[in-house]
Amino acid sequence: MEGKTYLEIGADGVAIITINNPPLNLLSAHVMLSLKENTELALQRDDVKAIVITGSNRKFSGGFDVTAFGNKGKHGKFGFFSIDFITDILEAAGKPLVAAIDGPALGGGLEIALACHARISTSSAVLGLPELRYGILPGFGGTQRLPRLVGLRKALEMILKSKFVNGQDAQGMGLVDAISSADELVTVACHWAKDILAQRRPWTVSLYRTDRLEPLPEAKMMLEHARVKSKKQSPNLKHPLVCIDVMEEGLIRGPRAALWKESEALSELRQSDTCRSLVYYFFARQRTSKVPGITDMGLKPRKVNTFAVVGGGIMGSSIVTALIVSNYRVILKEMDEKALLAGIERVKVNLQDHVKKGKLAEAKLDKILSRCKGVLHYEDFREADMVIEAVGENIYLKQRIFAELESYCPPHCILASSSSMINLNLISERKELQNRIVGTHFFGQAHLLPILEIVRTEKTSPQVIVDLLAIGKKMEKIPIVIIHNSTGSVMNRMFFPYSQAAMALVERGVDLYQIDRAAEAFGMTMGPFRMIDFVGFEVLTAMKVQFSKNFGERFNESKLFSVMHKGNQAGETTLKGFYIYDRDSKFIPNPDTMTFVNKVKSASCFGVDYELMKLSDEEIVEMILFPVVNAACFLLEEKVVVKASDLDVASVMGLGFPEYRGGIVFWADTIGPKHMHSKLEKWSETYGAFFKPCAYLAERASKRTSLGQAKSRL
């Protein structure tokens, strides 16, 4: 059923138009036409003196339906909604219009409210213009009206950062005129509209306000600063710069001319590769929590109040941090007093880092830390709803711990391992435990990265997976469900070839730091060597042991990593790896690295490859990322995940692949499996079996079909 709007006319002469398209009252061409029709009808009727626009079920509007962003609309005429309707009918109305805002007023929803002559909001309403997240710009006049209501500086921040504000803050900015309780919202808006009619309140046309705008010279400086910052932070993105240009157009040539430019820009950006990629990725993220055969069984998540974590090392303390910040009670167990105190101290340091980054108020530290209880014995585990084992990658130690857990944990308790390398089937062979054993892998540090891999064995019950999905949601983690338990996590299996390919190039003469620069220029959050430092050499050592044992010729032995590790280079946690770090995580290239590189080169059987040394940045990116695509194809071939889009999300959230390219598999499909296959085939003949394309990739290259099952919902 398509959404629409409803028109009601009160005895006091105020017409109430309600946007109704549950659950979020999203806008569409149909909804907009209905709003236009009812607005015109209310304006024509003699018994209507004023108009209030609101949304049903205490939700104003979540904005335009994202699925429409990549399509040509039914009304392709520039400015049909923005100018013909919102500006020339709604804002230019001869009767006062007031927006009554509760819940979300986002994107096009907020832009409709901006064109009204006043805005009344609840304090908890959420207002924002998030269009840049989807590769477009506000296209219903938001680039012009928002600066005129709140000033250019605040408007730039809200638009370029897709920043949301609540109703209370919006009032302080001048974005809304008054705050009301939810129960009285529409009544207050009706009174306000009648006050405007009686000239007791100002009749404000936002588009032509100038009192909040900064002087033109100052405004131009702000816009130029925003351009420079955008080019530095997102050099591959065009749409933020287009948005800044449109905002400047309004200041120089006037808002009416800028509205036409805004509409034209919106039409072009909606057809861009960036928009298609970002919209695809938006839906890919939403789909990660949908697991066929599990989430469609009607199971409800059980209540989990208390966690126990075994091991307070870097990973264990990070998991504890993430849990207590998410309002869970946690029991941390260590083997002795010294180790326990060290683990709790790591938790304190993690929390202080949150405070430094503005993620946490210092006043809340003691309360959050009080949720963690340190113990040396398992007795307290009798009250645990879930245990996470977070010790080193030692199969015998893990087996001993799980045997001990059986004696103390209640029958409903979920038993999880944070191992990213060891097959979970080996951890406990006790049949009584296997239906509640699950993997919970946090790539990097749990309190920093927003992703959680949930690893299911053949025996793990669907209920446990449903429980973990709910826990991940509360922790604000994006879940990736692995349905086929194997050696190595999804992210590790994609990360390892990223680092291996880079090391292979360095051993053959390519400059290490050029590789990182090329990867980061492509859009990777970190180049492969920065990421190795971030993950840590200890983790890489564990990966290396397991990968060499389980993946045969697909494993590329790197002497560089071994030599550096022996030379006491251990990564960012020890402040020295391929880069040297200070306590604020600022870094510079490690001058000692070249000594290790030269040592490896002198002992290498490869010698310097002068052809590789001539590689362009684009060719370097291909040589380090095509093996990652190949690894993703192996994962699909082995049916480790349900959907290719899950790998796209994992590559963005875990590997730092650029979101605006859609994810590793989506990007590969835009390049073409055939091109990728031929390159890998050629490199495997020259540089070895590490580059050999898998059967899944070869099959799709020969059939010229996509690697992913569904490219997009557009």
Side-chain angles (χ1 to χ4, degrees):
M1 179 179 173
E2 287 189 283
K4 57 183 177 180
T5 64
Y6 295 101
L7 173 65
E8 297 175 86
I9 301 168
D12 59 356
V14 179
I16 299 171
I17 301 176
T18 303
I19 301 168
N20 185 58
N21 189 18
L24 295 174
N25 294 329
L26 296 181
L27 303 176
S28 64
H30 185 81
V31 172
M32 290 296 292
L33 287 172
S34 174
L35 179 60
K36 178 176 180 287
E37 179 182 327
N38 277 324
T39 302
E40 289 175 321
L41 181 59
L43 291 173
Q44 291 164 6
R45 289 183 58 146
D46 293 335
D47 57 342
V48 172
K49 308 301 180 186
I51 303 168
V52 168
I53 298 177
T54 192
S56 64
N57 299 315
R58 295 187 172 181
K59 294 178 178 68
F60 188 77
S61 172
F64 223 90
D65 189 343
V66 176
T67 57
F69 286 174
N71 298 328
K72 290 182 178 178
K74 178 181 176 183
H75 299 277
K77 176 188 170 187
F78 290 158
F80 177 80
F81 289 128
S82 174
I83 299 171
D84 293 1
F85 168 44
I86 293 176
T87 303
D88 291 347
I89 295 175
L90 195 150
E91 189 172 40
K95 299 174 183 179
L97 284 100
V98 175
I101 303 169
D102 195 8
L106 304 175
L110 178 57
E111 290 176 289
I112 288 169
L114 294 177
C116 291
H117 306 122
R119 286 149 296 284
I120 313 301
S121 167
T122 61
S123 60
S124 60
V126 179
L127 299 86
L129 296 174
E131 284 87 350
L132 266 72
R133 292 181 184 176
Y134 309 108
I136 58 173
L137 82 171
F140 285 178
T143 63
Q144 303 308 306
R145 292 185 179 91
L146 187 62
R148 285 163 172 78
L149 285 172
V150 304
L152 181 63
R153 187 185 304 279
K154 290 177 181 175
L156 281 167
E157 183 181 15
M158 282 187 68
I159 294 174
L160 296 181
K161 294 182 179 180
S162 295
K163 180 181 176 182
F164 294 172
V165 296
N166 61 36
Q168 200 71 53
D169 292 340
Q171 184 188 26
M173 297 166 64
L175 182 51
V176 301
D177 298 279
I179 297 295
S180 167
S181 67
D183 292 338
E184 296 293 320
L185 178 63
V186 173
T187 302
V188 172
C190 288
H191 285 307
W192 199 283
K194 288 186 287 186
D195 283 347
I196 293 175
L197 188 65
Q199 299 184 342
R200 290 189 293 269
R201 302 278 188 188
W203 187 317
T204 305
V205 178
S206 304
L207 191 63
Y208 295 104
R209 280 187 67 170
T210 58
D211 56 301
R212 293 288 179 89
L213 289 174
E214 293 83 353
L216 187 57
E218 183 183 345
K220 284 186 172 182
M221 287 177 63
M222 286 181 196
L223 291 162
E224 188 54 36
H225 176 72
R227 282 192 190 93
V228 171
K229 192 173 180 180
S230 180
K231 288 176 183 177
K232 184 178 180 181
Q233 291 178 342
S234 309
N236 298 325
L237 296 181
K238 170 188 173 185
H239 65 285
L241 300 176
V242 172
C243 183
I244 294 167
D245 288 346
V246 170
M247 293 175 81
E248 185 173 52
E249 181 86 354
L251 300 176
I252 295 172
R253 296 189 57 207
R256 182 84 182 184
L259 287 178
W260 288 109
K261 185 166 183 172
E262 179 190 79
S263 294
E264 185 176 352
L266 176 64
S267 179
E268 291 176 5
L269 291 172
R270 281 176 59 183
Q271 310 306 313
S272 69
D273 290 340
T274 298
C275 179
R276 278 190 286 271
S277 297
L278 287 170
V279 171
Y280 163 83
Y281 183 75
F282 170 80
F283 286 111
R285 274 187 59 162
Q286 289 191 329
R287 287 194 297 266
T288 61
S289 58
K290 306 284 193 298
V291 187
I294 294 177
T295 56
D296 52 6
M297 293 177 66
L299 296 170
K300 301 295 182 185
R302 294 173 294 181
K303 197 166 186 179
V304 175
N305 296 316
T306 303
F307 278 80
V309 175
V310 182
I314 292 173
M315 177 53 73
S317 59
S318 180
I319 293 171
V320 171
T321 306
L323 288 169
I324 60 177
V325 165
S326 302
N327 206 26
Y328 286 111
R329 288 180 58 241
V330 180
I331 302 161
L332 172 62
K333 182 191 178 297
E334 261 296 357
M335 58 196 304
D336 56 47
E337 191 74 28
K338 183 180 177 182
L340 182 60
L341 290 173
I344 291 174
E345 185 58 34
R346 289 188 190 98
V347 174
K348 290 179 181 177
V349 170
N350 292 340
L351 292 174
Q352 285 291 350
D353 285 344
H354 272 343
V355 171
K356 286 179 186 175
K357 293 172 182 175
K359 296 179 180 178
L360 199 63
E362 190 157 11
K364 294 182 178 179
L365 276 183
D366 290 342
K367 183 179 179 182
I368 291 173
L369 193 59
S370 70
R371 296 176 192 143
C372 175
K373 176 184 179 182
V375 301
L376 298 177
H377 305 285
Y378 285 110
E379 281 298 328
D380 289 288
F381 281 38
R382 297 187 192 280
E383 61 185 88
D385 299 306
M386 179 170 172
V387 177
I388 301 177
E389 165 273 305
V391 300
E393 300 286 5
N394 181 322
I395 181 62
Y396 303 109
L397 176 59
K398 291 177 186 290
Q399 287 172 337
R400 194 187 81 205
I401 289 170
F402 272 78
E404 292 169 342
L405 290 175
E406 184 181 9
S407 302
Y408 290 92
C409 297
H412 73 275
C413 183
I414 300 167
L415 304 176
S417 172
S418 68
S419 174
S420 61
M421 299 307 305
I422 295 174
N423 192 314
L424 293 178
N425 293 325
L426 302 175
I427 288 177
S428 177
E429 296 179 356
R430 296 273 297 171
K431 291 181 180 178
E432 294 84 357
L433 298 183
Q434 288 180 355
N435 70 334
R436 51 190 174 119
I437 288 179
V438 69
T440 51
H441 176 233
F442 300 88
F443 188 72
Q445 294 195 43
H447 68 290
L448 296 178
L449 291 182
I451 192 162
L452 168 63
E453 286 186 338
I454 301 169
V455 187
R456 187 189 189 193
T457 72
E458 292 177 3
K459 302 291 177 66
T460 306
S461 77
Q463 180 64 61
V464 168
I465 303 301
V466 170
D467 294 341
L468 261 294
L469 288 169
I471 291 165
K473 184 176 181 179
K474 185 175 175 180
M475 294 177 72
E476 298 183 355
K477 304 293 183 188
I478 304 298
I480 302 295
V481 178
I482 298 173
I483 58 168
H484 177 65
N485 172 39
S486 64
T487 298
S489 70
V490 161
M491 286 178 290
N492 282 346
R493 285 184 60 176
M494 290 195 290
F495 163 66
F496 207 59
Y498 181 52
S499 60
Q500 284 186 301
M503 287 192 190
L505 291 179
V506 170
E507 290 177 9
R508 290 169 172 83
V510 181
D511 178 60
L512 181 155
Y513 298 107
Q514 183 192 355
I515 295 172
D516 269 7
R517 287 193 298 270
E520 288 164 13
F522 171 79
M524 299 296 290
T525 304
M526 298 180 187
F529 297 102
R530 262 288 288 127
M531 181 158 278
I532 291 170
D533 279 357
F534 175 75
V535 171
F537 284 34
E538 292 297 330
V539 175
L540 262 291
T541 300
M543 278 193 215
K544 184 178 173 182
V545 171
Q546 293 296 328
F547 276 55
S548 62
K549 193 184 298 182
N550 290 280
F551 296 117
E553 64 180 12
R554 286 154 55 188
F555 172 76
N556 181 59
E557 176 69 39
S558 172
K559 299 291 188 287
L560 176 58
F561 174 73
S562 302
V563 168
M564 287 195 68
H565 201 195
K566 287 175 184 175
N568 297 318
Q569 316 295 300
E572 190 172 343
T573 54
T574 60
L575 305 182
K576 185 179 278 190
F578 291 102
Y579 296 83
I580 293 176
Y581 301 83
D582 64 18
R583 295 290 175 186
D584 296 321
S585 296
K586 293 178 181 176
F587 57 91
I588 58 172
N590 183 351
D592 294 337
T593 300
M594 285 312 300
T595 303
F596 296 113
V597 170
N598 290 332
K599 186 176 180 179
V600 170
K601 283 181 183 176
S602 64
S604 173
C605 61
F606 304 124
V608 174
D609 188 320
Y610 292 102
E611 288 302 311
L612 288 180
M613 290 179 70
K614 297 176 188 174
L615 290 177
S616 66
D617 283 0
E618 183 180 345
E619 290 168 325
I620 287 173
V621 167
E622 289 187 345
M623 286 202 78
I624 61 176
L625 286 183
F626 284 11
V628 179
V629 174
N630 201 34
C633 289
F634 272 113
L635 290 165
L636 293 170
E637 182 177 283
E638 296 165 21
K639 296 181 170 55
V640 171
V641 292
V642 177
K643 309 177 288 293
S645 60
D646 287 350
L647 298 179
D648 285 322
V649 176
S651 70
V652 172
M653 305 302 290
L655 197 62
F657 192 86
E659 183 179 336
Y660 56 81
R661 297 189 191 275
I664 193 75
V665 180
F666 186 90
W667 172 71
D669 278 335
T670 63
I671 292 174
K674 186 172 178 61
H675 169 73
M676 203 163 282
H677 178 269
S678 65
K679 282 288 186 84
L680 286 167
E681 194 72 66
K682 177 183 174 184
W683 295 334
S684 68
E685 292 169 3
T686 308
Y687 304 113
F690 166 72
F691 289 101
K692 185 178 179 181
C694 75
Y696 183 95
L697 176 57
E699 179 192 1
R700 274 150 183 75
S702 65
K703 293 180 179 178
R704 297 178 182 271
T705 55
S706 69
L707 301 177
Q709 297 301 309
K711 288 274 292 183
S712 175
R713 283 185 55 180
L714 297 182

